[in-house]
Amino acid sequence: MNLIDTFKQITGSANVLTEGDLSAWEMDWRKRVRGKALAVVRPATSAEVAAIVKACASAGASIVAQGGNTGLVVGSTPDASGQQVVLSLQRMNAIRQLDADNLTMTVEAGCILQTCQDAARNAGFLFPLSLAAEGSCTIGGNLATNAGGTQVVRYGNARDLCLGLEVVTAQGEIWEGLGGLRKDNTGYDLRNLFIGSEGTLGIITAATLKLYPTPATRLTAWAAVPSMEQAVTLLGLAHRHLGAGLTGFEIMGQFALSLVAKHFSQLRVPLYQNSPFCVLLENSDHESEGHAREQFERLLELALETGCVTDAVVAENLSQASQLWHIRESIPLAQAEEGPNIKHDVSIAVSRIPEFVTATHKLLEQAVPQVRIVNFGHLGDGNLHFNVQAPEGGDAKAFLRDHEDSVNTLVYDSVHRFGGSISAEHGVGSLKVDKLEQHKSPVALEMMRAVKRALDPLNTMNPGRVVRI
Amino acid sequence: MNLIDTFKQITGSANVLTEGDLSAWEMDWRKRVRGKALAVVRPATSAEVAAIVKACASAGASIVAQGGNTGLVVGSTPDASGQQVVLSLQRMNAIRQLDADNLTMTVEAGCILQTCQDAARNAGFLFPLSLAAEGSCTIGGNLATNAGGTQVVRYGNARDLCLGLEVVTAQGEIWEGLGGLRKDNTGYDLRNLFIGSEGTLGIITAATLKLYPTPATRLTAWAAVPSMEQAVTLLGLAHRHLGAGLTGFEIMGQFALSLVAKHFSQLRVPLYQNSPFCVLLENSDHESEGHAREQFERLLELALETGCVTDAVVAENLSQASQLWHIRESIPLAQAEEGPNIKHDVSIAVSRIPEFVTATHKLLEQAVPQVRIVNFGHLGDGNLHFNVQAPEGGDAKAFLRDHEDSVNTLVYDSVHRFGGSISAEHGVGSLKVDKLEQHKSPVALEMMRAVKRALDPLNTMNPGRVVRI
C-alpha cells in the first residue's frame, strides 16, 4: 500500500489532504516561503500520530509537524520537494484535564493558546503564556519553539510553564510523560530536550501545564525614560519594589513609537515626543487594585526622584490599560506600514544592553547612512527586537535587497561580541540554521548533532531545521 | 607515562591523592558504601578538568565527579574496583562574577551552596536554593542532581535557578554556555540535559545563577490541620492569598513531630498533640513585616473559618521563626535517634497525595503490623519523605534486614500506581538504578540510553549510575 493510502486508513480519507489549495499548511506565516507537501495529514489521537510516524519511518518519508503555523523562522512548513509529510496537530485540541488542587492543566498539542488561557480563567486560574499570535498559535507549537512573549519576566518561557509531555518519538513510540509533578529526578530531562526542539526529535502530542491563581488585579503604567541605561535602572527598582508583581516590562524606542503615531493616528501615544524611550510596566497583584496602585505610585515616585523616569501615567481602568498594550503591540504593524524592514530577535544580558544598543546603532549608521532603528522589546528578559528600517524616503525594496545580508551579519556579529543570542524567542527553523552554524559554539553544535542522531537516526523528523547532520 | 603521573603534571602532585585515609571521598554521605579510588584528583581550573578527562578517555579510565559528597543515593563515590578516578571540584570554588543589573551570579562548581547564598546576600540579593546540607554541598553537585529543598514552591528546583553552564564534555572539550540570558532559543536545551544527569554525561565546572532582590521580610507560621485533605485545601488558600509570597509549605505528621519532642526535649513543638498534621508556612514579602503579618493573619483567619486549620501561631520574631524551622529540620535526626529506618523521597500530584498516603499506609500496616510512618515533606511541591520506622519496641536492625526490600517495593509500586516519582529530589545514583529500570517508562529509558551513548560513547563518565548501557 502506498503511503497516502496508509494515512487514509489511519485517519480516514477526509483527514489526508493532497489536492486543492494547501497554502494554509504549505506557506509560512510571514509568507516568505511556499513549500509543497506530499500530503497534509490530520490525526485525531496520539495513537494515530504514532501510526503515521511509523508509516513514514518505513517509507523513509520525512515529517514536518505543524500547529497553528504561526512560526516566524520557517520551521513548520514543508520544503519544495513535494516529498515531506505535513502532520497537522490541529484536530488534537482537547483540554484533557484541569486539576485545581495540583494547579495543572493537561491539554493536547493542537489546543489554541487562547483556548488554554480561557480554560484556565474559567476555572479561576491564570495560564500566563501570552503573545501576539495567541488567537491562532497552538500550545504544541509554543512548546516546540519554547515561546516567550510578554509575561516572561515573571513566569518564564513556555518551558518554565510545562511540567510534563506526551511525545511520539521518531520511532513512532508514545512516551507518556504527563505526570504533573513539580519534582522528579528520575533521570535525564527529556521534557526540556523536546521543548524547543522544533519537531526535529519527535512530536509533542500533549502537555501538562502549570496554573497560577488569577491575580486580583493587573495594573499598567507607562513611563518616559531618558536613556537605555536609565531603563535598566528602572527595571532594577521595579524588581525590588514590585517583587513578583512585576509581570511586564516592555521598552519602546522613540522612533518605534513615532511610527505608531504616524500610521495609527487614532491611537494616542503618550509621552514619547520628548523622550528617547518609553517603558510599559505591568503590576499583577493578588490583593486588590488599591494595593497595586499604591505600589505602582511608590515605585514611580522613587523613579522620578532618582531621575530614571521623567514622566509617567498609570492606567485608570482596564480600557486605558488595554490601549497602552495595544500601542505596544502595534509597533510591528506600524513598521510594516512604513515599508519592508529587517527583523531581529536578540537577547543580551540586561546589564550590557545599553552598550550593545549604542555600539550596534553606530555600526549600522556607518554601514547605511540615515538607517532607522525600530528598537523595542521585552527588556525585562534582555530580549530586543532590534529591527532595521530603510532611510526615510529611500527605496525600501532596494534597501532590503542590498543590505539584508550585511545588516544581519553586522547585528549578529555584534550580538556575538556581547555574549548574546541571535534567536531569543523565535527559534531557528530553516531561516537561521546557517547563522547558527556561524555563531553557536562548535562544542554545543557537535552535542546537538549527537543528540539528533541518537533520537532521530533516520533523520526523518523535520530534517534540516535547527541543526543539520 | 602512567595516568597518575599525568594527573600530577596537570594539577601538581599535591592535588593527586592516592594514599592515606581517602574515606572523605570514597565513602558516601550516609556511610552506606565505601569504594576504592585509583586516585582523587583536585583540579583548579576547567582547563585542568578538561586535561584530566582527556587523559582518562585515552586510558579508558572512568571518572566520578564529586562536589561536597553529600548526595543521598551513592552517586558521587567510586565503586570498589580501585580503577575509578574521583575528580573533586572542591578547589574550583570562586565566585567569578556578580551582575546586579542582570540579576545573575557566575560561580564555579565547587563553591559551597552557603557561600553562594552569602555572596548574593552581601550584594543585596537572594539566591533561594536552600537545603539541609547547604553548609557542605557544592553548587556543582546541586546542579548535577537538580537539588530541591525548602523554597521550591516559589523558586523551583536547582534547574529553575540556572541560566547557563560551563561543562567539560566526555571528550574533554569545554562547552562555554555561561551567557546569563533569560531567553535563548538557539537549539537543543543542553543546559537542562546536564542538570540532573549526575555526572554521567559530562562535568559541570561553572554556572550562571539567577538572583532575586532580598525580600524585606520573611515570616513563618505553624498551623495545626485536621487531615491531609485539609492540608491540600490550605495550600490552595495560601497560593491564592499569599501569591508569590508563599515561599515555604512543609507538612509534618503527628508521629514525626512526636519523635522530635521525644528525642529533643529542649525543643518546644507546638500544636502537634491534638492534630494529625502540622504545616509550616513561610511568607516572603518585598514590602514590610507589617504587611506580611497582615497577609498571614488574613489567610489564617480564613483557614480557621473554613476549618482547614484548627489552630495556628505566627512567629513573633526571627528567633521564633528559626526555632520553628529547626523543629522541621530535626525530624530526620529524631528519626535516627529512634533507630534505623527506611527512607523515601517520592512525589505525587498534590491533588492525589491524601489518597496516596491513606492507601499506602494501609498496605504497609497489612504488610508489617504496627509499622510507624514518619510522614513529612515539601507538600507545596507534592514531595513527601514517606519514611518507615520499625514497630515500637521492635528490633530495628532485624526490621531493616527483613523488610527493607519489600517495604521499598510496596511504596514504589504504590507511587507508580498514583503516577508519581520514586525520586523527587535526591536523584538516582547507584542506589535507585535498579528501581528506575522497573518503574520508568521503557520508552523514556531507551531515550536516556540513546542520549548517554551519544554524549559519552566510551561510557567513562560515572558509569552505571542513573542509566546502564
Side-chain angles (χ1 to χ4, degrees), chain A residues 324-344:
Chain A
L324 294 175
W325 275 105
H326 187 52
I327 293 167
R328 158 65 183 85
E329 283 157 8
S330 299
I331 294 174
L333 300 169
Q335 259 192 120
E337 290 289 324
E338 185 72 7
N341 54 79
I342 305 167
K343 293 188 197 302
H344 301 107

Side-chain angles (χ1 to χ4, degrees), chain B residues 431-444:
Chain B
L431 202 64
K432 293 190 182 172
V433 75
D434 287 328
K435 292 289 180 196
L436 199 69
E437 288 175 4
Q438 294 162 31
H439 291 290
K440 190 95 178 172
S441 114
V443 180

Side-chain angles (χ1 to χ4, degrees), chain B residues 377-417:
Chain B
H378 319 291
L379 184 61
D381 329 315
N383 179 194
L384 293 182
H385 298 301
F386 193 79
N387 298 343
V388 179
Q389 199 106 25
E392 189 158 17
D395 177 343
K397 283 192 178 166
F399 167 75
L400 243 67
R401 187 192 59 219
D402 299 341
H403 294 291
E404 181 159 17
D405 278 353
S406 62
V407 162
N408 282 338
T409 300
L410 187 154
V411 170
Y412 293 152
D413 285 349
S414 184
V415 166
H416 192 86
R417 276 195 301 280

Side-chain angles (χ1 to χ4, degrees), chain B residues 243-255:
Chain B
L246 181 68
T247 49
F249 195 98
E250 300 286 309
I251 185 113
M252 298 156 289
Q254 189 172 41
F255 177 62

Side-chain angles (χ1 to χ4, degrees), chain B residues 46-63:
Chain B
S46 24
E48 289 181 11
V49 175
I52 293 164
V53 172
K54 278 190 176 156
C56 289
S58 296
S62 62
I63 299 180

